[in-house]
Amino acid sequence: MKRTLLALSLLAAFASTTAYADPLLSGFGGDRDFGTLVMAPNDDGSSSQLTLPFRINFFGNAYSNYWVNNNGNISFTGALSSFTPSLFPISSAAMIAPFWADVDTRNQTDNLPNPFMNNVYMATPDSKTLVVTWDTVGYYDHHNDKQNTFQLVLKDQSATTGHAGDFDMEFRYGQLQWTTGDASEGTNGFGGRAAVAGWNAGAATNSYSLIGSGTQNVTGLVNTSNVGTDGVWRFMVRSDELPGSAPYNPVLPDNIDDGSAGWVFENMPVGTGTPIWIDPIVATGYDYLISNGPLVNGVTLLPGVGDGRYDIWLKEGGEWKLFASNVAGGEHFEFGKSVDEFRITGIETDAAINPDSPIAFATGLWFDGVGNATVTQTALTVEVLPVPEPATYGMLLAGLGMMGFAARRRRD
């Protein structure tokens, strides 16, 4: 069965106010230390066709060339002049967009402390990295009273994964002060059809708009992250494996708070025969609640964390009752029935999993039907003394090797 998955991003409830951070990569030379000026100041323009430093597999489509577009994105099948964004998916234009909006870099004098600001730069610091920077850019028509600075970073991961074309894409936000150009129904940089961040590969199952896209809340991307560093968003593209199809590339929750309200994974396309991997903020255990859609009839837990053993609880008569103890991570453990609520405990505090890591503790949920499910995952936490962050990704990869040998077990 083909896996149908959805990338959900970890994002806070945003305030549409000016925000600042400093997650930008630099040191590449040129006027602003961001590398080479990739196009002259313009409105709705694009670079010439450029060659990627490495070939990518963009959800089943291989690309070696790209265009940098002034309006906050790169495209792979031709230059793109569209200035009013749409939520993904759209029917055409394979693109990756850290901030698709009506960027206007023509005003090179007003409000700029440095004459080389309000430009778009490109750098290839090595054969495995591409960095495109929209530096202090203004918005249509000729405005730069408000300015946005953001980057797109592509990193070749084929040597790590062993699969040609595998790569990571990072969106890095230094400042976001406007969302909308005048021709997109905006006034003074806001309102109308606001910026969209995400990617589009031409199909609903492999295109995604980050939470906040298309609203004034998109400015909140500068304050939040799915990797623990404000203003940095990282997504893995692994052949045809979309977020949710593997523990190293899990679906991330829609919300971030203190954990008391749970972590919500809303409207995930799910099916039978394969797990959907989701990842919350870590703790010593989790409560799982399916509020709509297919129910869960089994779980696969991450091996290699602490002693790799867990307890499973099911709710009966409004009370939690121990269903199975000492369950091994890596096994597909079936409940023998479908449930809308269960609990996992037994994660040792000395495992010291980083609560800000997107690969901290992925969980494989096995559903009993096809549809869209909404899952809330509430962390069970304890306060411990700070400890050095462990190499969770290394533990995860080691655990994945174990999973190939895991036995299926049914509770009698």
Side-chain angles (χ1 to χ4, degrees):
M1 174 180 174
K2 183 175 178 59
R3 287 173 283 199
T4 55
L5 308 163
L6 178 66
L8 296 180
S9 299
L10 183 61
L11 201 56
F14 297 135
S16 57
T17 57
T18 300
Y20 294 91
D22 188 21
L24 301 175
L25 303 181
S26 60
F28 310 133
D31 298 327
R32 291 279 291 151
D33 221 17
F34 292 133
T36 303
L37 186 69
V38 77
M39 66 186 89
N42 72 91
D43 175 51
D44 301 334
S46 301
S47 70
S48 59
Q49 179 177 294
L50 303 171
T51 301
L52 288 165
F54 50 90
R55 190 176 179 87
I56 66 171
N57 180 349
F58 190 44
F59 300 112
N61 295 306
Y63 296 113
S64 298
N65 301 307
Y66 71 108
W67 287 259
V68 176
N69 303 303
N70 202 56
N71 289 329
N73 59 74
I74 69 170
S75 52
F76 299 105
T77 57
L80 184 65
S81 61
S82 299
F83 54 84
T84 298
S86 299
L87 293 175
F88 301 132
I90 57 178
S91 60
S92 59
M95 61 190 291
I96 302 175
F99 202 86
W100 181 18
D102 198 355
V103 174
D104 189 339
T105 58
R106 292 175 295 176
N107 187 341
Q108 293 284 309
T109 57
D110 299 337
N111 304 304
L112 296 178
N114 186 309
F116 299 107
M117 292 178 172
N118 201 13
N119 281 301
V120 185
Y121 295 93
M122 182 272 294
T124 52
D126 55 54
S127 63
K128 297 181 180 297
T129 309
L130 169 69
V131 183
V132 182
T133 306
W134 288 260
D135 175 31
T136 326
V137 295
Y139 59 99
Y140 184 84
D141 181 14
H142 286 85
H143 302 299
N144 63 12
D145 59 308
K146 301 177 182 70
Q147 301 155 351
N148 291 347
T149 300
F150 53 92
Q151 287 181 329
L152 170 64
V153 182
L154 303 184
K155 295 184 177 181
D156 179 21
Q157 297 293 350
S158 58
T160 301
T161 66
H163 296 96
D166 285 359
F167 69 101
D168 291 350
M169 48 185 171
E170 292 180 355
F171 301 161
R172 292 176 171 262
Y173 302 96
Q175 65 179 26
L176 297 175
Q177 298 181 341
W178 62 266
T179 68
T180 319
D182 295 352
S184 304
E185 305 172 20
T187 302
N188 295 322
F190 290 96
R193 299 178 63 180
V196 169
W199 61 90
N200 184 75
T205 56
N206 51 24
S207 299
Y208 184 65
S209 302
L210 272 66
I211 301 298
S213 290
T215 77
Q216 307 313 304
N217 293 336
V218 72
T219 58
L221 291 170
V222 77
N223 292 325
T224 45
S225 171
N226 66 350
V227 294
T229 300
D230 282 356
V232 179
W233 293 81
R234 183 177 302 124
F235 303 94
M236 304 175 186
V237 184
R238 299 294 184 263
S239 301
D240 290 322
E241 292 183 343
L242 304 178
S245 62
Y248 59 78
N249 196 16
V251 174
L252 297 174
D254 292 345
N255 65 314
I256 181 170
D257 54 22
D258 63 2
S260 61
W263 310 103
V264 180
F265 306 81
E266 189 169 7
N267 292 322
M268 297 186 298
V270 301
T272 60
T274 185
I276 303 298
W277 291 88
I278 64 177
D279 189 24
I281 304 300
V282 300
T284 58
Y286 307 95
D287 286 346
Y288 301 76
L289 173 65
I290 295 81
S291 55
N292 72 271
L295 300 180
V296 170
N297 58 19
V299 66
T300 304
L301 299 170
L302 194 66
V305 175
D307 65 3
R309 296 281 174 169
Y310 310 94
D311 296 331
I312 299 175
W313 304 71
L314 301 183
K315 190 165 262 190
E316 298 178 5
E319 296 182 356
W320 290 111
K321 294 187 177 180
L322 182 64
F323 178 73
S325 61
N326 206 34
V327 173
E331 290 189 1
H332 169 204
F333 193 90
E334 298 185 7
F335 298 157
K337 58 182 177 180
S338 297
V339 302
D340 62 359
E341 197 167 3
F342 68 98
R343 170 177 286 181
I344 301 297
T345 61
I347 302 172
E348 291 82 8
T349 57
D350 59 11
I353 303 173
N354 180 359
D356 295 322
S357 171
I359 55 171
F361 188 81
T363 305
L365 304 182
W366 297 75
F367 288 85
D368 65 359
V370 176
N372 290 332
T374 296
V375 180
T376 299
Q377 189 163 6
T378 304
L380 309 175
T381 61
V382 295
E383 186 172 345
V384 296
L385 294 176
V387 296
E389 177 183 348
T392 54
Y393 193 67
M395 293 194 301
L396 173 59
L397 293 178
L400 291 177
M402 296 166 55
M403 289 184 67
F405 301 97
R408 293 171 64 92
R409 179 158 64 101
R410 180 184 297 273
R411 180 178 174 86
D412 295 328

